[in-house]
Amino acid sequence: MLEVQFTTIKKLGIPNYLVVALDDEIVDLCESNDIAFYKRDPDEGLDSVGKSGGNHAVSSLKFQILREFLQLGYGVLLSDVDIVYLQNPFNHLYRDSDVESMTDGHNNMTAYGYDDVFDEPSMGWARYAHTMRIWVYNSGFFYIRPTIPSIELLDRVAYRLAHETAWDQAVFNEELFFPSHPGYDGLFASRRTMDYYIFMNSKVLFKTVRKDGELRKKVKPVIVHVNYHPDKLPRMRAIVEFYVNGDQEALKSFPDGSEK
């Protein structure tokens, strides 16, 4: 997956791409392909997770490593490896918020928020309660600016992941969105949801865009994140074939979801 990713990035000529290498195998891969990489100084705790930890455990390391870059004053566009690049993402960022993230939502309501009505008939006149909902930000692709709220976000997420058994994406969203309430001080971080047609998740692509002739013509995503599907590598290769090499049949063989 990393090879597919950096091949698309090289083709686009994106210069400011850096792989955070967690083991020697990735270092060797980067060196042999002339890819810039960063290998942290030895740290027994982090290194053991990087070499033998599960998917979620490895993902949690990003929040600790990101802090080092933010402290130096760099804004960082963090990217998982199951992402294909089709345009330079830095040309499509607003940079007006602490965190600018792609969404797991698949339409305007789920991506940008909606009023969801809860109905409790036993309450009579007050049976309807309005709630505000939004689908979560994807912690595998977001731009984070070097601000105090951003660093505090990383510290909070890293601390909770070190002391709880939790999914990093759930914790990332909870710390971004939960308001202050008794016993808890909320985080004052500004946030922006990325356009889901521009920074596209694989549900949007495989359930909607590939089936709509107009969208296939009009929409050229900046990236496609294969986050909704476990067969990541073949789908990544198919996305390259479709968008880069022009094979209009490349996406047709895949199911909408993860079913066989």
Side-chain angles (χ1 to χ4, degrees):
M1 289 190 290
L2 180 58
E3 287 179 307
V4 173
Q5 182 177 93
F6 68 58
T7 298
T8 61
I9 285 174
K10 278 187 169 184
K11 188 178 182 68
L12 291 168
I14 301 171
N16 48 333
Y17 173 69
L18 179 72
V19 173
V20 177
L22 298 180
D23 56 47
D24 294 335
E25 184 180 356
I26 297 300
V27 170
D28 294 340
L29 178 68
C30 291
E31 287 181 333
S32 63
N33 287 276
D34 195 27
I35 299 294
F37 68 91
Y38 169 57
K39 183 76 161 61
R40 300 177 79 259
D41 291 334
D43 181 303
E44 184 176 346
L46 291 178
D47 292 345
S48 63
V49 174
K51 292 176 180 177
S52 60
N55 186 42
H56 288 177
V58 170
S59 291
S60 69
L61 296 180
K62 71 182 71 167
F63 301 98
Q64 299 177 55
I65 295 171
L66 268 176
R67 194 187 203 282
E68 302 173 20
F69 291 89
L70 265 61
Q71 282 183 296
L72 294 172
Y74 293 106
V76 177
L77 180 62
L78 179 132
S79 171
D80 281 352
V81 297
D82 56 345
I83 293 174
V84 174
Y85 285 74
L86 302 167
Q87 300 183 59
N88 189 330
F90 293 99
N91 297 334
H92 298 268
L93 297 176
Y94 284 81
R95 296 180 172 87
D96 62 353
S97 304
D98 295 307
V99 176
E100 188 172 346
S101 178
M102 75 171 295
T103 174
D104 276 0
H106 60 277
N107 55 26
N108 286 355
M109 286 179 56
T110 56
Y112 308 139
Y114 60 104
D115 179 7
D116 187 38
V117 180
F118 174 78
D119 182 12
E120 190 174 6
S122 64
M123 288 296 294
W125 174 82
R127 65 183 289 180
Y128 299 111
H130 290 256
T131 70
M132 298 307 298
R133 300 189 64 184
I134 185 173
W135 283 29
V136 294
Y137 283 176
N138 191 288
S139 61
F141 189 88
F142 59 89
Y143 180 71
I144 186 166
R145 296 174 61 229
T147 64
I148 297 299
S150 294
I151 292 174
E152 185 177 353
L153 169 67
L154 299 179
D155 286 345
R156 288 186 180 205
V157 174
Y159 178 84
R160 285 187 55 189
L161 292 175
H163 294 84
E164 302 174 16
T165 301
W167 182 26
D168 66 282
Q169 180 161 294
V171 174
F172 176 67
N173 278 270
E174 288 169 2
E175 294 299 335
L176 265 179
F177 285 94
F178 280 176
S180 297
H181 55 264
Y184 176 78
D185 292 327
L187 181 71
F188 298 98
S190 57
R191 52 199 182 268
R192 170 181 283 275
T193 306
M194 291 175 170
D195 186 325
Y196 60 87
Y197 281 134
I198 302 300
F199 297 94
M200 190 181 294
N201 64 59
S202 56
K203 180 176 182 177
V204 172
L205 176 60
F206 285 97
K207 284 206 71 176
T208 304
V209 172
R210 69 167 174 168
K211 300 178 181 180
D212 188 310
E214 285 301 306
L215 285 177
R216 286 203 308 272
K217 292 177 186 175
K218 293 180 179 179
V219 173
K220 175 66 179 297
V222 170
I223 60 107
V224 178
H225 188 177
V226 187
N227 60 316
Y228 270 99
H229 300 89
D231 51 338
K232 295 177 182 296
L233 183 55
R235 288 186 189 250
M236 288 177 71
R237 288 173 172 160
I239 290 165
V240 172
E241 287 300 315
F242 182 80
Y243 281 111
V244 179
N245 299 327
D247 181 358
Q248 296 301 301
E249 305 297 315
L251 302 178
K252 289 186 176 181
S253 65
F254 296 93
D256 287 357
S258 58
E259 69 277 7
K260 299 298 183 182

